[in-house]
Amino acid sequence: MSDVARLAGVSTATVSRVVNRRYGVSASTIEQVRAAIEQLGYESSLVATSLRSSRTNVLGLVTHSFQSYTAEVLKGVMDALSQSGFDLIIYANSDLYGTYSDGWEQRHLARLSGTLTDGCIVVTPSREVRSGTPVVVIDPARGSAVPSVTADNFAGATAVVEHLLGLGHQRIGFIAGRASLEAAWSREEGYRTALAQAGVPIDPRLIARGVSIPSPRRRSRVRCWTGRTGRPPSSPPATGWR
């Protein structure tokens, strides 16, 4: 900070006020200090900033893994943060399907909350999460009381099945997602409701349960249907995966 003050021709106290966005500094001095900061490549420590002001202007995004759905969520978060003055830290699990994956959301939150972030977004947690830092969940676990954002999964699944029925399909498979996710239950309920309203019997053998898995194992679900029922579904399966 003393190097910035020397280059800008101001006191270290003035540099501190500019860095921490405090009042009492003229616009011209702010520009002068910012120019010196940019020239020197100075970056304030997140932890030091947090200890001084109890804020970091950083949000965390916690996810189990990166898939197409997560990428879309990330784009939305970045759009919302644009011009807000907040930065984003992303924390993803490194052990996608191993034993270490259990309880990933709470471990990641513990590492990001407190001095590193002002709040966290958790994407599709498998259980309830707790943190001293504000948290919002995207697609919560069943029965979660944490503030959350989710789509109308029931209506979406119903619309998909109604569309397939309209194309003449009767044997519609359904790949259920993680049983811990509220979204997975809502989608299966939409699937069952659409079939029932159309008078199509629900064949439990056409419902496969699983989690988000690589494509070779997804193909094995279809082979599993064929083995259980003697033939695969008449359409690509509706899915509750995430």
Side-chain angles (χ1 to χ4, degrees):
M1 192 172 290
S2 59
D3 291 337
V4 173
R6 191 178 304 109
L7 181 60
V10 298
S11 67
T12 54
T14 298
V15 174
S16 177
R17 283 197 292 271
V18 172
V19 169
N20 291 293
R21 303 180 183 183
R22 293 175 181 162
Y23 297 105
V25 184
S26 68
S28 60
T29 301
I30 290 174
E31 289 304 316
Q32 198 172 330
V33 170
R34 285 178 176 171
I37 289 173
E38 184 174 351
Q39 183 176 337
L40 293 172
Y42 170 81
E43 291 289 344
S44 63
S45 163
L46 289 179
V47 175
T49 300
S50 174
L51 290 174
R52 287 193 302 268
S53 65
S54 298
R55 291 184 64 86
T56 63
N57 287 334
V58 174
L59 296 181
L61 186 142
V62 173
T63 181
H64 180 268
S65 60
F66 278 100
Q67 303 171 21
S68 56
Y69 170 73
T70 316
E72 290 300 312
V73 169
L74 180 57
K75 285 194 287 186
V77 171
M78 295 305 297
D79 286 345
L81 290 181
S82 177
Q83 308 299 319
S84 70
F86 277 81
D87 291 320
L88 185 69
I89 292 178
I90 303 168
Y91 207 120
N93 196 17
S94 60
D95 184 23
L96 299 187
Y97 306 107
T99 55
Y100 188 68
S101 63
D102 187 44
W104 59 271
E105 47 281 276
Q106 201 61 55
R107 287 195 302 273
H108 295 356
L109 271 178
R111 291 167 182 169
L112 285 181
S113 61
T115 57
L116 286 181
T117 60
D118 293 332
C120 285
I121 301 165
V122 184
V123 182
T124 60
S126 58
R127 62 185 66 185
E128 183 73 294
V129 293
R130 295 178 177 82
S131 175
T133 299
V135 171
V136 173
V137 169
I138 297 178
D139 275 346
R142 294 197 74 197
S144 173
V146 177
S148 62
V149 177
T150 188
D152 191 340
N153 292 286
F154 177 88
T158 301
V160 168
V161 175
E162 289 175 346
H163 174 72
L164 294 173
L165 290 169
L167 294 176
H169 295 288
Q170 295 285 303
R171 302 184 69 257
I172 300 172
F174 181 81
I175 304 175
R178 283 184 282 156
S180 60
L181 281 181
E182 185 64 41
W185 285 84
S186 296
R187 290 171 189 167
E188 183 172 346
E189 186 63 25
Y191 164 82
R192 291 175 175 274
T193 298
L195 290 178
Q197 289 177 344
V200 177
I202 297 171
D203 186 347
R205 296 174 300 174
L206 292 176
I207 301 175
R209 304 192 179 279
V211 296
S212 296
I213 50 181
S215 56
R217 291 173 65 190
R218 291 183 184 184
R219 288 193 292 270
S220 73
R221 293 291 183 190
V222 178
R223 290 195 295 269
C224 177
W225 273 317
T226 304
R228 286 190 297 182
T229 67
R231 56 197 174 108
S234 63
S235 73
T239 177
W241 256 327
R242 185 161 299 168

